[in-house]
Amino acid sequence: IGFKIQLSPFRRLAKATATNLNAESISGESSGRVKYCEDVYRTKRRPTSTVQVGKVPIGSAHAIAKQTMTTTVTRDVNSSVDQILKIAKEGADLVRLTVQGRFEADACMNIRESLWEKGCDVPL
């Protein structure tokens, strides 16, 4: 019985990539390429630009910003504010929220205003 198994486009790409790898592409020593990992024993930060998120500088020579994401439903303003206050108390530099649409965007403004009223200025 003859039938042919057809690979999905992703599997074809993965197979093609795996067969095209060689020692030169793994080590990154071809001309003009940047190595993925300079040294597995020492951390080396690449030069980047500084971006300000509120009062928190990110990138360049600044320390890595501690951040996390809320697990609350963003539309639930009170529970989101409570969780953000706990996160800020634990020392996070910034907090991320999920904003899928207009209702969540409106809730973010209410969350921000409530945080300001409570004296919390952690960037969202």
Side-chain angles (χ1 to χ4, degrees):
I1 303 173
F3 58 90
K4 190 176 184 180
I5 299 173
Q6 185 173 357
L7 294 176
S8 70
F10 176 75
R11 304 261 336 225
R12 272 184 264 147
L13 176 64
K15 186 176 180 182
T17 303
T19 56
N20 290 335
L21 287 178
N22 55 34
E24 180 181 293
S25 65
I26 292 171
S27 67
E29 293 185 19
S30 65
S31 60
R33 282 198 223 184
V34 176
K35 286 184 180 181
Y36 175 74
C37 182
E38 296 288 330
D39 188 344
V40 295
Y41 301 106
R42 283 183 274 155
T43 302
K44 181 180 179 200
R45 292 181 68 174
R46 294 190 176 111
T48 59
S49 301
T50 298
V51 176
Q52 285 290 133
V53 179
K55 63 182 180 188
V56 180
I58 296 176
S60 187
H62 302 286
I64 295 172
K66 289 184 271 182
Q67 60 177 304
T68 190
M69 189 159 186
T70 60
T71 58
T72 59
V73 176
T74 306
R75 286 175 282 174
D76 185 356
V77 174
N78 292 329
S79 64
S80 294
V81 168
D82 291 340
Q83 189 173 54
I84 291 168
L85 289 171
K86 289 177 186 174
I87 290 168
K89 184 179 177 184
E90 291 296 322
D93 296 318
L94 61 107
V95 178
R96 296 176 293 138
L97 295 153
T98 302
V99 182
Q100 298 102 338
R102 179 71 183 172
F103 294 117
E104 289 83 4
D106 292 338
C108 280
M109 290 304 297
N110 297 331
I111 291 168
R112 168 52 59 211
E113 290 170 2
S114 181
L115 289 170
W116 279 338
E117 288 172 5
K118 296 179 184 207
C120 182
D121 63 347
V122 66
L124 301 178

